[in-house]
Amino acid sequence: MSLRVGETPLTAALLLLLSPPHGPVSPQPGRALDCLGHSAELAFAVEPSDDVAVPGQPVMLGCKVEGTPPVRITWRKNGVELADSPHSTVLANGSLMIHHFLLDGGGSPSDEGDYECVAQNRFGLVVSRKARIQAASSGSGAYKEPTILVGPENLTLTVHQTAVLECVATGNPRPIVSWSRLDGRPIGVEGIQVLGTGNLIISDVTVQHSGVYVCAANRPGTRVRRTAQGRLVVQAPAEFVQHPQSISRPVGTTAMFTCQAQGEPPPHVTWLKNGQVLGPGGHVRLKNNNSTLTISGIGPEDEAIYQCVAENSAGSSQASARLTVLWAEGLPGPPLNVQAVPVSSTEVRVSWTEPLVNTREIIGYVLHIRKAADPPELEYQEAVSKSTFQHLVSDLEPSTAYSFYIKAYTPRGASSASAPTLASTLGEAPAPPPLSARVLGSSTLQLLWEPWPRLAQHEGGFKLFYRPASKAAFTGPILLPGTVSSYNLSQLDPTAVYEVKLLAYNQHGDGNATVRFLSLRGAAERTALSPPCDCRKEEATNQTSTTGIVIGIHIGVTCIIFCVLFLLFGQRGRVLLCKDVENQLSPPQGPRSQRDPGILAPNGAGRAEWGPLGRDGKHVDMKELEQLFPRAGAVQPLPTPTQDPEAPALCEVTQLSMLPLRGLSLLEEMPSEAPLPQDVGPGLPSEGPAAQPAPSGP
């Protein structure tokens, strides 16, 4: 009896017994049949294929089987089942990994040959096609693209475990395997290993090791590469950062527990009271993602053990704390007859009577206030004197319901809360809405205001009236909802002035109106006088202004420089002016015996005397000199100057009467011992020091 592929002797016998009269049933290729001839769903999803291997590099033959578990997979080489050995490994998915492809030599058999994948379950077995593996010719140096045979898989681990990310690559020449993170962060070196095959091992993983890891196989000396990536997720079980602490509180006060936990993913916190889940409501509040438990107005029934449970997918932790309620003897009872009466749209008056018992130690009352629609955590309090049994609550919102209750306080604690009471503030008419207008056409005005959505909640809206100022009757009211913010008035007279009134109303009545007098002509003129912004023109103007400022700065600096130069040269000019006067007043040069004593000679005794010509080459006019420098007294002739060194020179007198004081100070500061100026020729001023005054005669 011949066996078909996928048959055993037992299977053949069963098929022969159960075959119909017209012949046996043939199994479908790649399918195993059970004892009743039904398909056992054992089939290949992936079969091995022919390949050319590089000696010394890994080779992987793919094989994946689908069928009724358990399924056993084995491999055959040249028809002989491969035995387990470190040289080759059958992976979890059924593929065969040859770690280092070998040829004949060295006492080890060659890995070349025909390989088959054999899959078997309790219903039968199937055999894959044959895949021929040949060695690449070492003499030809055949090039083979880098290929990643096994890449990293997605892993989810818990902290302190070891992560193994696989990466097996082949190619000719042998590729270089490297690892990196997709987010660009460094992998690190502590606890990191890369095995010779290319696998990455991370010991004692932490949450910081989570990320996408990329395995790259590079051909040496080139940029040719192949990559594969896998995600590593490291979870941390929930652990407490802050444990709840047991506390003791007087009755009527507030108790608070805090429980903070961390983990990856972030844990969820749940509270238990004596083992029962505790949710928010009443006087129990949960805040900050359930990390804070607040119990207000505690009583004997709140005394219990409170547990905090933090839980995530990696694990859970719990901690507990006890609340002890201190009940003092002689505490007052709750205040009685609490009543709340609205006074205005923003005020409510609350009144009460003192408790029936233990009132002598009361030191005050505390009024608890909140909006009736708000949760208890939005409650606020106001303190009241012990001698006062009513309190005016202000700064409330109009047409809003509020809840009130009160407690009496003593040095030993607070009383229980009074029964709550509700009251609503009075309503009020809305305020006048702001109103503006703009022109839409030759006969159309658009009125604009702010929408008030709350008006719709109180049966309100807007009322609009308008009329020409010359008429007595208004057109309107035009009723508009509170969500509307504009209205167009059309078919208006461009030459007329219109009076427009806009008011808001609600169930409490009409508010005050906003009145405007408008005309199409005036609005059009205002629009023309206020044209839209020409941003480009303004930008050019700003640039021109900036240029003008820069030019002005340059001009100002230049003016300052010129002023400094003018002052410097002006100072020197005043000194030269005195010398010029001396030159013009000097007598003609000649023998001393021939000099005319009638001629003014302020420096007559000096050796530096000027010629008969002035600086401009003209004779000096004595009349002009007398007009410029009048003689002291009536018509007394000046005495003939002598050689007395203590007599002042005429130039100094002239400086006192004609020159500024600064010029005088310059001449006075010159030392009297300076040598007399030398004669430098007619008509030229001396470049030396100024001439000293001639000494007076005995």
Side-chain angles (χ1 to χ4, degrees), residues 363-397:
I363 58 176
Y365 298 90
V366 174
L367 180 62
H368 297 252
I369 309 159
R370 68 176 176 90
K371 291 182 181 179
D374 286 348
E377 55 264 25
L378 297 182
E379 174 184 286
Y380 66 97
Q381 299 87 30
E382 292 185 6
V384 185
S385 170
K386 67 176 182 179
S387 59
T388 302
F389 299 101
Q390 64 177 4
H391 183 69
L392 184 64
V393 183
S394 57
D395 297 330
L396 305 178
E397 295 184 7

Side-chain angles (χ1 to χ4, degrees), residues 598-622:
I599 298 177
L600 294 176
N603 296 325
R607 291 178 291 172
E609 298 176 354
W610 295 83
L613 298 178
R615 295 186 61 181
D616 55 358
K618 295 182 181 181
H619 292 282
V620 178
D621 189 353
M622 294 301 298

Side-chain angles (χ1 to χ4, degrees), residues 284-366:
V284 177
R285 291 174 286 177
L286 295 175
K287 298 186 296 183
N288 302 326
N289 293 328
N290 293 354
S291 63
T292 302
L293 170 65
T294 303
I295 308 172
S296 58
I298 59 175
E301 68 278 4
D302 295 313
E303 184 169 294
I305 295 177
Y306 292 86
Q307 294 172 292
C308 172
V309 180
E311 184 178 11
N312 63 6
S313 57
S316 63
S317 297
Q318 66 176 4
S320 60
R322 176 183 291 274
L323 172 61
T324 302
V325 179
L326 303 177
W327 179 262
E329 296 294 335
L331 290 177
L336 303 175
N337 301 324
V338 179
Q339 296 181 351
V341 179
V343 177
S344 66
S345 59
T346 60
E347 295 176 326
V348 171
R349 187 179 302 278
V350 181
S351 60
W352 64 93
T353 58
E354 63 179 1
L356 294 178
V357 295
N358 302 325
T359 60
R360 290 187 302 174
E361 296 185 1
I362 293 179
I363 58 176
Y365 298 90
V366 174

Side-chain angles (χ1 to χ4, degrees), residues 65 79 91 112 149-150 159 173 183 185 196 206 216-217 303 356 366 380 420-421 435 523 566-567 603 645 647:
V65 181
L91 303 180
E112 287 185 310
L149 302 178
V150 179
V159 291
D183 57 8
R185 295 171 53 190
T206 63
E303 184 169 294
L356 294 178
V366 174
Y380 66 97
T421 184
L435 178 63
F566 177 77
L567 292 175
N603 296 325

Side-chain angles (χ1 to χ4, degrees), residues 83-116:
D84 295 337
S85 70
H87 180 63
S88 60
T89 303
V90 179
L91 303 180
N93 60 0
S95 299
L96 176 65
M97 169 66 69
I98 302 175
H99 300 288
H100 300 282
F101 187 80
L102 300 177
L103 292 176
D104 289 330
S108 299
S110 172
D111 289 325
E112 287 185 310
D114 297 331
Y115 290 82
E116 298 171 304

